[in-house]
Amino acid sequence: MGWVIARFLAAALTVATGVFLGFLIGGLAHAALVGMALGGLLGVFGAVFVDSRQGRHLLEWLRGAQGQTAPRDTGYWGELAYRIERAMRLRDSAVRAERERLQQFLSAIDASPNGVMMLDHEGAIEWCNAVAAVHFGLDPVRDRRQRITNLVRAPAFVAYMQAGQFDEAVVFPGPQGGSTLSVLARPYGDGMRLVLTQDITERERNDAMRRDFVANVSHEIRTPLTVLSGFLETMASLPLSEAERQRVLALMQQQTQRMQALVGDLLTLAQLEGSPRPGADRWLPVAPLLRRAQADATALSGGRHQIERSGGDDAELAGSDTELLSAIGNLLNNAVRYTPEGGRIALHWLWREDGSAEVDVSDSGPGIAREHIPRLTERFYRVDGSRSRDTGGTGLGLSIVKHVIQRHGGEIDITSEPGQGSTFRLVFPTFRARRRQVVAEAGLERV
Ligand code: ADP
């Protein structure tokens, strides 16, 4: 209201000035009335001209890109321009803040380990993060606005999207061979759909491994149990001579030992999986460990093999002595069991150039064909099942060895060729192996 009065007064003042000047000038020519009328008219024109000019400034600024500040005119138009400019700047910064928030939100979704995709009411891609694009084998930019079912043709997925029953996820093979995807859709908004994807290849593989493991264990236990119950039945129903009875009892004992060995190895595996890694600050001298393993192997061989040992007198390992003894023992046990009588077995400690170290168990046994080598450390994987069982093997020995060496930060390396014997290397990293300093004069050993 203030501006209305001010504008009215300004216009009235301009007209009055025109009238007054017209009166003075017209009076000189004895035409005061005409002068007043003309002066008043000129005053009106002047007021309208100034007003229109300021209005045009503002209009031009509004028509443009508003890159510069609004015209700083005085009065009504000046204030109007300032207010409009302020409202526009406020709106711009609100839009910018909103856009930033959206960008942050999208970046957060992009960082998700799972795939996220938004579909419009026709099932066309509105937006998807990089993970969803990888899962579906899409290009997030090129494939935008494309119908998802035109791009992902897996029948289970297409049927799922068409059925519109999104209570549970659908699982199907991913476009990259060998992968398995789990996809869950959720309706939102006006017919839109949010699609969440997850690569469950690893989980499926673990589930399959667990199922196989249970099946294998059951099978391994059932076989000796069947044999045992057969013998028990025989003993209960048939009159046996003393010699026959002794033979049956010996066979029953063999089966019991087999089960005991299996259960023992299973417990060892469970313990290895369920306990924390052995500390890297518990240093053990290597020599007694190797001596003990060699003695056990010699006892098992019963003189059928030549078992030699070298190195390790100057070395220490950081870790668990029972685990390390079990790993080396398993390797020697295999060497003894698979190497024919008269064969050679060697247990060596070696320092490597980079300061790491290895324990090698080599034999002159039958060797192993190349295709089996990568799978030897799998549970229950055997090259020759009957040979393994006949010699008391459980199929778990190398899997225990692998666990132990991995818990010590190292790895197992197997080289073998049929007919050329085998070498199993336990490679320890530098932080788990060190040289032992021996103070000879004092007869003391010092770390
Ligand atoms: P097992 O109890 O059957 O010996 P392991 O896990 O210790 O189970 O070994 C897996 C398989 O690797 C064995 O069944 C055997 O076929 C093969 N193997 C292991 N060590 C040797 C070796 N020194 N010489 C030949 N084959 C071996």
Side-chain angles (χ1 to χ4, degrees), residues 1 6 10 43 109 152 184 208 220 232 240 255 297 318 321 329 368 377 438-439:
M1 199 62 195
I109 299 181
V152 181
L184 180 68
E220 294 287 334
L232 281 173
L240 297 177
Q255 295 302 325
D321 52 352
I368 305 159
T377 54
V438 180
V439 183

Side-chain angles (χ1 to χ4, degrees), residues 334 337-338 363 368 376 381-383 388 393-395 397-398 424:
N334 281 353
R337 286 192 299 117
Y338 294 108
D363 63 56
I368 305 159
L376 289 182
Y381 188 85
R382 294 163 164 120
V383 178
S388 157
T394 60
L398 288 180
F424 293 78

Side-chain angles (χ1 to χ4, degrees), residues 296-329:
D296 291 349
T298 307
L300 182 71
S301 160
R304 288 177 296 127
H305 307 90
Q306 186 189 324
I307 303 177
E308 62 184 56
R309 170 177 61 87
S310 75
D313 293 333
D314 62 342
E316 284 186 328
L317 273 175
S320 150
D321 52 352
T322 41
E323 287 186 25
L324 292 168
L325 189 63
S326 146
I328 301 169

